[in-house]
Amino acid sequence: MLTARLTIDPARPVGPVSRRLFGAFVEHMGRGVYGGIHEPGHPEADEGGFRRDVIDLVRELGVTTVRYPGGNFVSGFRWEDGVGPRADRPVRLNLAWHSTETNEVGLHEFASWLDEVGAELMLALNLGTRGTLEALDLLEYANVPSGTTLADQRVRNGRPAPFDVRMWCLGNEMDGPWQLGQRSAEDYGKLAARTAKAMRQVDPAVELVLCGSSGASMPTFGDWERTVLTHAYDDVDFISCHAYYEETDGDLGTFLASATDMDRFIETVVATADHVKAVRRSSRTIDISFDEWNVWYLSRVPADLAKGIDDWPVAPPISEDPYTVADGVVVGSLLMSLLRHADRVTSASIAQLVNVIAPIAAEPQGPAWRKCTFFPFATTSRLARGVTLEVRVDGPGYVTAGYGEVPVVDAAATADDGAVALFLVNRSQDEEVEVSLDLTALGVRTVDEALTLSDPDPHAANTADRPDRVGLWPNPRAVVAEDALRVTLPPVSWTAVSLH
Ligand code: AHR
């Protein structure tokens, strides 16, 4: 068996764990909204057509903020289409996902659903095919109490109190050639700054997210961040990061180390933002909104998409990745990367929530169930509280094709009022690891729970027929003796240990 020793200094917290780290993302894409959260006629549907079984699972997942309505979809979206009497709402092409948008669910319905779920709404604006004026209109409609045509229209449409939306994304992935209205960094930076300034004239308290690169592999990555921040630094609060990972060519070793890439990505964007801060002699600090992250088998998408002028299905299944134990382990480790950077990553959204690239599956007229990625997210959202503590890992490494040598054990920890939560990953594919941690300085002695996600088959997954095939199991090999915690991690596993 391999061994690893952890060291945690409670006197050196990284930063407070923002509850917004446990956000998600719902896009009008595939069966995310229609046939996902919303299915009138389903035996579990409420009066508004929203599935109660799905609401229960979203609550259990512990989602705090939900980014909506896109994604790529938003760059072709007219928000007015989704408000007012349903019978009058137009049916449009969803160009991002080659499908038909019925607009049956819009801002009001989604906000009501979020009230049920108990999560905050984060709205994305269309800065692809639209601009500052339309952004102002939506802000006025959503946040101004009453007395203007748009605010009164909201009241007439059934929402007397403002939606009071705090977080707004200034467009989506504006560097991407796939984006409707893709822009150069110069053009986008100027547009975002103009729009942000104008929005603050309506509501100075909005929190604004500037689009960073669509991913760290974009050819303009780094330059894009520097340029857009140079234009909009004083006007925004966050810059976005997006990252998706998948196992390719059977290279499980590289895939399991995906958090290495996320760590580097975050640190590069922080360095770039701080460079702009230095050049501008600014006293403001820009945080990261990691508002799209997950495991996504992106290479399978083209086969899912309809094609042709006469083929625009309503809510076709797209990217309904089944998610394996290995995928769950990677999602757990990506959350650990976010926690490690809690001082600068203060908002994040797993992309997405139901059916599409999602931890929750919902079958038409059938059951809803938890995929493997559900478990580490729900547990981390429940246990990670207070502040993040830095964890030093002394243990073995292994060589990956993607990232060179990486540690076998990945770890993160949080502490809150006498409680410590430890999150651990064993990336070895064939060996157990015994991890030890001296608890003296942490002042905790008792294991409250130790939960592990693993399976002899790392590619096992839950399905409609076997929704409980894989899940968390209580790990009996997490024990405290002589002021030290010892916990044994099976191969390809994610573990959470809470202590007080
Ligand atoms: O989450 C799916 C898509 O991934 C989003 O629409 C887009 O922003 C990203 O490329």
Side-chain angles (χ1 to χ4, degrees), residues 25 27 29 67 70-73 97 172-173 178-179 242 244 292 296 351-352 357:
F25 169 40
E27 175 166 10
M29 168 181 179
R67 179 169 177 255
N72 297 337
F73 166 76
W97 304 110
N172 177 70
E173 297 192 345
W178 56 85
Q179 201 67 225
H242 291 182
Y244 293 101
E292 287 189 34
W296 183 13
Q352 298 188 11
I357 333 174

Side-chain angles (χ1 to χ4, degrees), residues 247-330:
E247 184 182 344
T248 49
D249 307 323
D251 183 0
L252 184 55
T254 294
F255 177 55
L256 289 169
S258 299
T260 311
D261 180 75
M262 194 186 235
D263 287 341
R264 291 178 191 165
F265 184 9
I266 292 169
E267 284 153 27
T268 307
V269 174
V270 165
T272 308
D274 288 351
H275 164 76
V276 178
K277 175 180 182 169
V279 171
R280 300 177 64 82
R281 277 104 174 126
S282 177
S283 57
R284 308 183 74 236
T285 298
I286 301 293
D287 281 350
I288 289 177
S289 168
F290 216 122
D291 47 41
E292 287 189 34
W293 69 269
N294 205 347
V295 171
W296 183 13
Y297 288 84
L298 193 50
S299 51
R300 299 175 191 158
V301 172
D304 286 354
L305 291 182
K307 291 175 189 71
I309 190 73
D310 56 353
D311 187 12
W312 300 87
V314 175
I318 303 172
S319 287
E320 302 198 358
D321 295 331
Y323 290 131
T324 65
V325 169
D327 297 329
V329 170
V330 169

Side-chain angles (χ1 to χ4, degrees), residues 134-145:
E134 293 90 346
L136 285 176
D137 285 350
L138 176 53
L139 177 59
E140 183 179 325
Y141 183 90
N143 282 12
V144 169

